Amino acid sequence: MRPLTEEETKLMFEKLSKYIGENVKLLVDRPDGNYCFRLHRDRVYYVSEPIMRWATNVARKNLVSLGTCIGKFTKSGKFHLQITALDIIAPYAKYKVWLKPSSEQSFLYGNHVLKSGLGRITENTPQYQGIIMYSMNDLPLGFGVAAKSTQECRRADPTATIAFHQADIGEYLRAEDALS
């Protein structure tokens, strides 16, 4: 477990800012305590500072996990967000998409979102912007990238892809061994 380097921090914050914009600073400066990001075995964890200090008493080889896993660095040095970060980034999301109940299951199986499954979308969502997918009951289901802007969505045909799938809560079942 170690602090992120400057390059790793830059990559991680760039990825997070695609989904929550300037609200990234709210992740570190929280009113309920100080939180930090730590790297352990190529995974980035979001952890409170008291817990991080307690974890220093555990040997690195014995430490399995610490806090909430935000994502991981690939062998090529890119940062990938994981579904475990959804509970942390969903409250700060700038752009949101609400799915109709008929398309929720399709999204949870890993498919992209079609126009026919779109319930609502945040106004002025730009194309290729990171978005958080919600059910119509405001339950965060996952995140992805907007394939079309809000204005293009209004003119699109019902079979057009509106949002690209990146991660969903169904991954807890499909890939539970890879998330730890």
Side-chain angles (χ1 to χ4, degrees), residues 87-124:
D87 292 333
I88 294 169
I89 64 175
Y92 304 111
K94 286 181 68 176
Y95 301 106
K96 303 174 184 179
V97 168
W98 287 267
L99 302 178
K100 291 180 181 174
S102 59
S103 69
E104 284 179 20
Q105 187 173 12
S106 175
F107 178 73
L108 294 177
Y109 282 140
N111 298 319
H112 299 312
V113 178
L114 303 178
K115 167 85 183 319
S116 60
L118 182 68
R120 295 188 324 229
I121 187 169
T122 307
E123 283 297 318
N124 301 324

Side-chain angles (χ1 to χ4, degrees), residues 34-112:
N34 291 333
Y35 283 76
C36 59
F37 296 96
R38 289 292 184 255
L39 185 75
H40 182 64
R41 297 184 184 160
D42 291 332
R43 297 192 190 293
V44 177
Y45 293 93
Y46 181 65
V47 61
S48 67
E49 286 188 6
I51 293 174
M52 187 255 321
R53 280 190 226 108
W54 291 332
T56 58
N57 297 329
V58 179
R60 281 189 184 190
K61 66 177 184 170
N62 295 337
L63 188 63
V64 177
S65 157
L66 175 73
T68 304
C69 183
I70 295 290
K72 66 179 187 174
F73 284 100
T74 62
K75 300 278 186 202
S76 63
K78 295 179 182 172
F79 183 72
H80 287 222
L81 274 178
Q82 290 188 324
I83 189 59
T84 50
L86 182 64
D87 292 333
I88 294 169
I89 64 175
Y92 304 111
K94 286 181 68 176
Y95 301 106
K96 303 174 184 179
V97 168
W98 287 267
L99 302 178
K100 291 180 181 174
S102 59
S103 69
E104 284 179 20
Q105 187 173 12
S106 175
F107 178 73
L108 294 177
Y109 282 140
N111 298 319
H112 299 312

